Amino acid sequence: QVQLVESGGGLVQLGGSLRLSCVASRNIFSFLVMGWYRQAPGKQRELVASIATGGTTNYADSVKGRFTISGDNAKNAMFLQMNSLKPEDTATYYCGANHLGLQYWGQGTQVTVSS
């Protein structure tokens, strides 16, 4: 069983920044891939950014150059630094991790960007 707990969401103005954190109940190197996803009202959940065990990162085109994903194994944590936020970034952000073929999710943290 894996627990993921997100934090760091909030209300921010256009152009502002937020840093999301996801703390896992086990060593993050045990996950094949970890990622940040988001879901806006009425839309499907989409991948924002992912980081693999070897450190390879991947970003959605809509966030490239603005968001940075990183991990800290000592803290069992993954982060998402979000800069130059736009209203279209408004969504519930979820931490996801794949472990032994199973996908686990956190409870989500709300990010709202006002114009």
Side-chain angles (χ1 to χ4, degrees):
Q1 191 73 1
V2 174
Q3 283 78 48
L4 303 169
V5 180
E6 304 102 330
S7 62
L11 174 65
V12 65
Q13 290 187 331
L14 173 66
S17 298
L18 283 174
R19 187 185 192 222
L20 304 184
S21 299
C22 172
V23 178
S25 59
R26 60 184 300 124
N27 189 307
I28 63 171
F29 282 170
S30 68
F31 302 128
L32 182 63
V33 179
M34 291 188 77
W36 287 99
Y37 299 75
R38 67 187 180 188
Q39 187 167 18
K43 295 188 177 181
Q44 289 188 330
R45 188 172 298 189
E46 62 174 356
L47 175 67
V48 175
S50 65
I51 184 167
T53 303
T56 302
T57 58
N58 182 51
Y59 296 92
D61 287 343
S62 60
V63 307
K64 283 181 180 177
R66 300 188 298 123
F67 291 10
T68 303
I69 190 171
S70 62
D72 186 335
N73 186 51
K75 298 180 179 179
N76 286 355
M78 177 181 67
F79 307 99
L80 185 68
Q81 178 66 43
M82 305 187 294
N83 299 327
S84 302
L85 283 161
K86 305 174 181 180
E88 50 263 46
D89 295 318
T90 295
T92 301
Y93 284 69
Y94 296 90
C95 170
N98 187 286
H99 180 64
L100 300 179
L102 296 178
Q103 184 69 24
Y104 295 89
W105 300 100
Q107 81 287 353
T109 185
Q110 179 66 36
V111 171
T112 302
V113 184
S114 65
S115 55

